[in-house]
Amino acid sequence: MEHLISPAHSMILGFIPGWLISFLYVVVGVGLFAYIIAKRLAPLVKAAPDNSRFANIPARLKNIAVVWLGQIKQPRYMFAGVLHMMIFFGFLTLALRTCSLVVIGMFPDFALPGLAADQPVGAVYNVLKDYAATIVFFACLVAAIRRGVFKPARYAVPKELGHDHTAEAVFVCCIIMGLMVTESLFEAVLVAAGHDAFLPPLTLAWAFAHLFAGAPHGLLQVLHIVSYYCHDTLFFFFLCFLPMGKHFHVITSLFNVAFMRVQRGNIKPMVYGITAEGLDDLKSFGVKKIEDFTWKHMLDFYTCADCGRCSDQCPANLVGRPLSPRFITIKARDLMFKNYPLRGEMKKSEPLIGSIFTAEEIWSCTTCGACEQECPLGIEYIDKIVDLRRGLVDEGEVPQTLQKPLKALGKRGNPWGKVEKKRADWAKDKEFAAECNVKIVENGDTSDTLYFVDSITSYDDRMINIARCTSKILDTVQEDFCILGKQEKDSGNEVVRFGEEMLFQQLKSENIDAINESGAKKVVTSDPHAYNALKNDYPELELPVEHISEVIVKKVKDGTLKLKSVEDPTKVYTYHDPCYLGRHNGLYEAPRNAMTAIPGLKLVEMEKNRDRALCCSGGGLNLFYEPEENERMAVLRVQMAHDAGANVIVCACPFCMVNMEDAIKVAGLDDQLEAIELTELIEQHMEK
């Protein structure tokens, strides 16, 4: 191939040929990058194991295709998301060109197989990469202006939590823009010098070619060489700069998404590979120092893009609790950088609580899952929070208000400490029993369906009506069911998320034994917390588990359950998604379909609904916790219901009902808004 401009490999700098300079760029750049990565991998090598990340390969490949490559979560924040997608896809398109440019410095006629300019695929690719370079340039320009000038609030960093990352973000945008300019200029001067190549209109390369058309040959020669080595310098600098801060995610995101959780709703075991029986042999429980985290959780720390989406959706952060998921990750990543420096000795790890985290910060989490739902990179928070709580529990650092319910759970199997024989009193009420006879396993009764009531619905004076309405629904649809009665213990959904692993194992074991001995073939529950625990935290339980909303929808469809028209047509209903029914288990439509099966019912949606629904604050044993906060989550929620034009908020969870009814009073909306539980609504409208 005839070169109208001398390629980089043939130039002589002093006495060093260009090809050797290009070769040294590769050796030094790749070598330095490999050294940095090796240092960054050091803490992961010392981390706790997690072999579960290599299971279910098909689901992991799907996550790579949908979450990483498809960028499915980016448009949830539309403007920033689209900008990111433009940069991401542009980068992917230009990756092949960047690789070939590195080699061109040594072999000027090099082209990747099938991508030579005189081949059809290569010609198409050249057009795509020129447009990609242009799109990435302007996307980065807009992103830099947005970060540096407009400074969206979710990127802000309080002084007590570290330094602001705006400068780094703008700097990286400038590097990327420089890569796009130098690559385009490299192409453009060839065409300006007479090289026969097509440059797509309105691209950077096309603009540069027109700008330098007719320029002296000497100037074009200099621009060609300078643009090449500027591009190479920027590329290798960028490659080695990425592992230094938040932009490490450019490298780690693919792996983090590949290893992200593929099952929702469950909590990681105390230690992978250790059975419940082996817990007594452990010397320490939970996470206390950075190396106690699993390698995947450390990879999470490296992968955080500092986008602030997690904290922006976190209800604890929203109401002013001392928790921001974003800073859980950032503080841990900074500690890893500090303890495992690129140069010098590794530092001894100190206890995380008291150094970078506070106990109040860790107890503030409701385990609602909003942060994990929002993260576009598969970063996990709940397991980390639970592991840190396990460490606190192991050290005896339990909030005062939670000590009493924990002791009661251990002694009586419920957080109120009420005697076991009263668990089924709601079913023995004479007036109710005359209308609906509930079988009780402790009396020797059996059935194919077991109704798992759980503690709050069994003991709370207000919530026992949910148990009665659920029973009436099951009875009306001719479901042969029974309850465990005093043999039932708390499901432990909150206990395990509180970090009391041994107590949870005790509750789980007793419940599984009781359920298996009942002879039931399936389990139904009206409590999302029980639903989640039985379905996701009881892997030894091999029975199918259904939420009552699923039963209602099924029975309405087959005609077994008939519902009459809405009693009060002036009422406008809205549905509050419980976290443990929605985000953790994906049940969004069944409760809504159950509601809309009532003829004439008017349903409106709140601003935050489905997978962005605002937590009521009842999860993770927070029903008994008294945190420092500016405002109650449930108060914000009922205000959303009021703003949506609703005068009835429907819950499908007893925890939510407790908080919503209280919040309506606190918000002063008693005369404008009421709360009702889903089973109560359905029971009111059943044709009897």
Side-chain angles (χ1 to χ4, degrees), residues 227-382:
S227 63
Y228 176 80
Y229 282 109
C230 282
H231 185 85
D232 249 19
T233 302
L234 284 172
F235 169 68
F236 284 113
F237 173 81
F238 188 44
L239 191 64
C240 295
F241 178 79
L242 290 176
M244 303 296 186
K246 79 184 195 72
H247 288 87
F248 201 1
H249 74 273
V250 175
I251 297 170
T252 61
S253 61
L254 170 61
F255 304 100
N256 209 61
V257 170
F259 293 124
M260 68 187 285
R261 63 159 59 240
V262 293
Q263 179 186 353
R264 298 195 66 80
N266 64 322
I267 294 297
K268 68 173 284 291
M270 181 73 74
V271 177
Y272 285 98
I274 300 294
T275 61
E277 292 74 19
L279 291 177
D280 288 328
D281 299 327
L282 295 178
K283 295 181 180 179
S284 178
F285 280 14
V287 166
K288 296 174 184 176
K289 61 182 189 299
I290 195 73
E291 289 82 6
D292 293 335
F293 283 115
T294 69
W295 61 264
K296 168 57 174 68
H297 291 162
M298 285 191 177
L299 186 62
D300 280 349
F301 298 145
Y302 281 156
T303 305
C304 178
D306 194 21
C307 66
R309 297 182 181 206
C310 54
S311 295
D312 196 42
Q313 296 299 324
C314 173
N317 184 60
L318 182 65
V319 297
R321 292 191 185 186
L323 170 66
S324 174
R326 172 191 176 202
F327 293 110
I328 292 288
T329 295
I330 291 174
K331 288 187 289 187
R333 180 177 64 208
D334 289 346
L335 180 64
M336 289 168 68
F337 286 173
K338 175 186 174 184
N339 284 5
Y340 294 84
L342 298 182
R343 295 179 61 191
E345 295 293 322
M346 291 182 291
K347 294 179 175 59
K348 182 180 179 181
S349 293
E350 298 179 353
L352 294 170
I353 305 297
S355 59
I356 65 169
F357 302 137
T358 65
E360 292 77 14
E361 185 177 12
I362 303 308
W363 293 122
S364 289
C365 177
T366 66
T367 69
C368 72
C371 51
E372 294 186 7
Q373 179 69 44
E374 208 62 41
C375 181
L377 298 175
I379 293 173
E380 300 157 17
Y381 287 97
I382 295 175

Side-chain angles (χ1 to χ4, degrees), residues 555-622:
K555 295 302 181 180
V556 167
K557 284 184 177 179
D558 67 18
T560 306
L561 179 61
K562 300 185 184 301
L563 302 175
K564 58 187 178 181
S565 297
V566 67
E567 290 183 343
D568 185 351
T570 65
K571 288 186 176 181
V572 179
Y573 296 80
T574 189
Y575 174 66
H576 164 72
D577 290 276
C579 303
Y580 277 95
L581 200 60
R583 270 189 295 269
H584 289 292
N585 287 286
L587 271 180
Y588 298 110
E589 302 311 319
R592 288 177 169 81
N593 291 339
M595 292 172 61
T596 54
I598 299 173
L601 184 140
K602 298 175 184 176
L603 178 64
V604 296
E605 293 289 356
M606 285 182 271
E607 178 187 355
K608 285 180 173 286
N609 61 77
R610 293 179 170 81
D611 64 4
R612 271 189 170 168
L614 184 70
C615 178
C616 75
S617 82
L621 218 63
N622 268 251

Side-chain angles (χ1 to χ4, degrees), residues 164 167 178 208 216 256 265 293 326 425 625 640 668:
D164 187 87
F208 285 141
N256 209 61
F293 283 115
R326 172 191 176 202
D425 279 3
Y625 184 49
M640 288 181 190

